[in-house]
Amino acid sequence: MGEMAVPADAYYGASTQRAVLNFPISGQPMPHRFIRALGMVKRAAAQTNRELALLPRRRARAIAAAAQEVVDGKLDDQFPIDVYQTGSGTSTNTNANEVIANRATEILGGERGSKLVHPNDHVNLGQSSNDVIPAVQDELIPALERLQKALEAKSKEFWPVIKTGRTHLQDATPIRLGQEFKGYAGQVEESIRRARGAVDELSRVPLGGTAVGTGINTHPQFARIATARLAKASGVPVREAPNHFHAQATLDALVAAHGALRTIGTSLWKIGSDVRLMGTGPIAGLGELRLPETQPGSSIMPGKVNPVIIESMLMVIARVYGNDTTVVVSAQAGSIFELNVMMPVAAVSMLESITLLAAASRNFSERCVEGLQATDRGPELVERSPMLATALNPVIGYDEAAKLAKESIRTGRSIRQLARARGVSEKELNKVLDLGKMTRPGLEGPGGGGG
């Protein structure tokens, strides 16, 4: 394609420079995680091809050493290509080939550009990948585990607190505040399971399929050995995709994995929203929880404290929803015949969602959940709740209990007062209006039964 001026101090070459000029879109290069994973693939490829006698030992070692520098982030400034680039990610893959080839040439004592190590013939022995698997396992799952433990601790702490349950945002029968938090902990437990499922989805990689999945110009054992090396290096169960044609032509696994992230975000949204609502007030709202005071809430209203940690998490989840749409559209519109041509933006969206969810979960645990306090508001309200009439169904029947509930709403008198006026004995009232038994019939304590 003719000559191309490249910065004198650059390890990359003409192909990378052309891509820089061709894609002046966002100014956002591929993230370090993506580049790091690409370096891991190139290192594993060089070591594998040495084992298969396809590369001389000295050259393979130089390539592996240069690739390790990429993994370590020492050459991040040599990857300037925009996220919005060649749909298959070929530009960034070529960028890596050029950088590693020139750095390996230096390691061997040659001059950059001499092609003592060739970017295509020697370095390009594998397929570009991304770092979503370690990111899920090493960042997101530990963050969720911390949140689950924090919620479980609050469940035990709040177990004695009995408050009004709510369905349809209306009063319902009593519930323990600890039971609500037990439910939140269960949601996060399920989120951890889904995150592990995402790891499994992403662990089957099409390494070795080359151009269209046939594996042309690749040793038959390359993919098996290279993925085993990647699994050992990353600590996750990376393995060769059983069907290269499917794995290279679609982003189905990425759609499924990001779907798990979307579900995790939805669970966190529910938990955060509930905590925020229970913390409203402190006078004009529900006021059942006291949220940690993390910063002043207003520049004009002294003493105001806002649920800012939760608000930041909800914004993260909104971004995750947007990324999910990006991944789905990339998979739907980009999967044409033998190759998906919207891989870079899908990979970057996935990486961003993982990073944001992990950070927001950790922050929610540390700066909100772990410092939550229960107030007296919940127990005060439950005694006045008209839905306590439900417990009188076996004594006076559903219709009469419904009349009591409506009268309680109309007059402001408690169910206990109205039932006493109707002739229900104090002994019977103490029996049926025992709030503890109403929350766990026949069972006591956070370890028993289904809450």
Side-chain angles (χ1 to χ4, degrees):
M1 291 188 176
E3 293 185 356
M4 172 61 62
V6 178
D9 61 346
Y11 280 106
Y12 57 79
S15 294
T16 298
Q17 185 62 31
R18 284 193 178 90
V20 170
L21 298 176
N22 282 337
F23 306 113
I25 309 299
S26 70
Q28 176 188 351
M30 298 297 287
H32 167 68
R33 287 192 172 282
F34 191 101
I35 302 306
R36 174 180 179 270
L38 197 49
M40 292 176 69
V41 171
K42 299 300 181 182
R43 182 186 63 193
Q47 293 168 336
T48 299
N49 281 287
R50 169 66 194 105
E51 183 178 337
L52 296 171
L54 298 176
L55 275 178
R57 183 184 302 276
R58 189 161 172 262
R59 182 177 284 149
R61 284 179 174 174
I63 293 172
Q68 184 61 49
E69 292 185 12
V70 172
V71 173
D72 294 339
K74 295 179 180 179
L75 299 170
D76 277 0
D77 62 345
Q78 298 298 311
F79 291 85
I81 301 173
D82 203 276
V83 167
Y84 302 93
Q85 53 159 288
T86 319
S88 60
T90 300
S91 293
T92 294
N93 187 47
T94 300
N95 187 175
N97 292 337
E98 291 178 339
V99 169
I100 292 171
N102 277 320
R103 181 67 187 111
T105 294
E106 277 189 346
I107 291 171
L108 292 173
E111 295 183 3
R112 298 183 201 179
S114 66
K115 295 191 177 178
L116 179 60
V117 177
H118 195 281
N120 298 92
D121 296 340
H122 302 142
V123 181
N124 191 43
L125 297 172
Q127 182 183 346
S128 61
S129 180
N130 59 59
D131 195 28
V132 295
I133 309 170
V136 173
Q137 182 159 294
D138 297 341
E139 287 192 24
L140 179 57
I141 291 176
L144 291 173
E145 287 174 338
R146 173 173 179 171
L147 178 57
Q148 181 190 5
K149 290 177 181 177
L151 291 166
E152 287 174 344
K154 287 298 170 182
S155 174
K156 293 176 181 178
E157 178 185 338
F158 294 157
W159 200 261
V161 180
I162 300 175
K163 50 164 285 185
T164 299
R166 295 179 180 89
T167 58
H168 304 273
L169 293 179
Q170 303 297 309
D171 293 355
T173 53
I175 188 171
R176 293 179 183 270
L177 184 58
Q179 289 172 321
E180 288 185 313
F181 274 76
K182 184 176 182 179
Y184 303 148
Q187 279 190 281
V188 178
E189 182 180 14
E190 286 295 294
S191 293
I192 294 168
R193 179 185 62 79
R194 293 184 178 104
R196 291 190 173 124
V199 171
D200 183 67
E201 287 282 354
L202 296 166
S203 295
R204 297 181 291 275
V205 299
L207 195 62
T210 62
V212 294
T214 59
I216 188 171
N217 294 338
T218 301
H219 191 286
Q221 299 301 314
F222 172 81
R224 178 183 62 81
I225 297 173
T227 51
R229 288 183 180 276
L230 282 171
K232 185 176 181 180
S234 64
V236 293
V238 179
R239 57 198 183 277
E240 180 184 3
N243 186 326
H244 281 264
F245 306 104
H246 151 72
Q248 285 186 210
T250 75
L251 295 181
D252 291 356
L254 204 62
V255 172
H258 202 283
L261 299 185
R262 182 192 64 236
T263 307
I264 291 168
T266 301
S267 292
L268 294 176
W269 189 292
K270 186 267 194 292
I271 296 168
S273 294
D274 279 11
V275 170
R276 180 169 63 168
L277 283 171
M278 282 190 278
T280 52
I283 304 302
L286 299 181
E288 296 174 352
L289 287 176
R290 184 175 294 111
L291 276 59
E293 298 181 359
T294 54
Q295 66 183 54
S298 174
S299 59
I300 191 173
M301 292 175 281
K304 193 171 191 294
V305 177
N306 293 331
V308 294
I309 304 302
I310 296 172
E311 290 168 354
S312 70
M313 184 174 71
L314 299 189
M315 285 188 278
V316 161
I317 297 165
R319 181 74 175 198
V320 170
Y321 289 161
N323 285 343
D324 189 67
T325 299
T326 299
V327 170
V328 171
V329 171
S330 296
Q332 174 199 14
S335 298
I336 303 172
F337 294 116
E338 278 68 54
L339 185 68
N340 182 282
V341 292
M342 295 183 72
M343 292 182 186
V345 71
V348 169
S349 297
M350 184 83 183
L351 286 167
E352 183 185 48
S353 291
I354 294 167
T355 300
L356 289 175
L357 282 174
S361 298
R362 283 195 304 271
N363 201 47
F364 182 47
S365 300
E366 179 183 348
R367 290 182 167 82
C368 184
V369 174
E370 292 170 12
L372 287 174
Q373 296 178 344
T375 70
D376 296 331
R377 179 73 168 166
E380 289 173 2
L381 290 176
V382 74
E383 285 288 349
R384 294 159 45 194
S385 173
M387 291 305 102
L388 290 183
T390 304
L392 290 169
N393 285 356
V395 179
I396 61 176
Y398 179 90
D399 291 339
E400 287 301 312
K403 291 178 182 177
L404 284 188
K406 291 178 181 179
E407 187 175 349
S408 175
I409 294 171
R410 187 176 67 255
T411 64
R413 298 176 66 192
S414 71
I415 292 296
R416 183 181 293 271
Q417 291 172 324
L418 294 173
R420 189 183 294 119
R422 295 282 181 97
V424 180
S425 70
E426 200 67 31
K427 180 179 180 180
E428 189 72 28
L429 285 174
N430 289 336
K431 179 180 177 181
V432 299
L433 297 182
D434 185 321
L435 299 180
K437 289 184 178 179
M438 290 171 70
T439 61
R440 300 183 68 83
L443 295 168
E444 289 297 334

